[in-house]
Amino acid sequence: MKKPLNKQKLHEFVQRRKINAIGLLVITLLSAIITVICAFQRFSRTDVLAGVTLLLVVLCFIQELKLRRSFRTIRAFKGFRKKKKDA
């Protein structure tokens, strides 16, 4: 017996994933802008800011890959299925 698909909950789930991705993108862009500004002003710890920005960019790519597979939330079944015995 299948569970009925609740379209409202699915829509809310996808919206949450998109909002999280957009928030991460905004944080990454702000970090990149701050890094560039600090580089022009010869800030002494610009290398740390550049490292953080690079890690945020990598995290954005990982999030993008996860968003493409957002509908694959159920883990694949790797066990053996029980066969019905003929009576």
Side-chain angles (χ1 to χ4, degrees):
M1 190 163 105
K2 274 187 162 180
K3 255 185 168 177
L5 182 65
N6 190 344
K7 290 184 181 184
Q8 181 67 25
K9 284 190 177 185
L10 181 64
H11 180 69
E12 290 173 359
F13 171 73
V14 172
Q15 285 298 101
R16 278 194 311 268
R17 294 284 296 260
K18 285 182 181 180
I19 289 170
N20 288 342
I22 291 171
L24 180 62
L25 186 64
V26 167
I27 291 171
T28 303
L29 289 175
L30 288 174
S31 176
I33 291 169
I34 291 170
T35 302
V36 169
I37 290 172
C38 288
F40 283 134
Q41 293 183 352
R42 306 265 185 212
F43 184 65
S44 62
R45 303 240 184 228
T46 306
D47 55 340
V48 175
L49 290 172
V52 169
T53 303
L54 183 66
L55 289 175
L56 283 170
V57 169
V58 170
L59 189 60
C60 281
F61 282 124
I62 292 171
Q63 184 71 17
E64 176 66 27
L65 290 175
K66 282 181 143 184
L67 262 180
R68 288 185 185 197
R69 293 185 266 159
S70 65
F71 293 107
R72 302 184 93 197
T73 57
I74 300 173
R75 294 183 184 167
F77 181 76
K78 297 198 183 225
F80 293 106
R81 290 187 172 87
K82 293 182 181 180
K83 293 183 180 178
K84 291 183 180 180
K85 293 182 181 181
D86 294 331

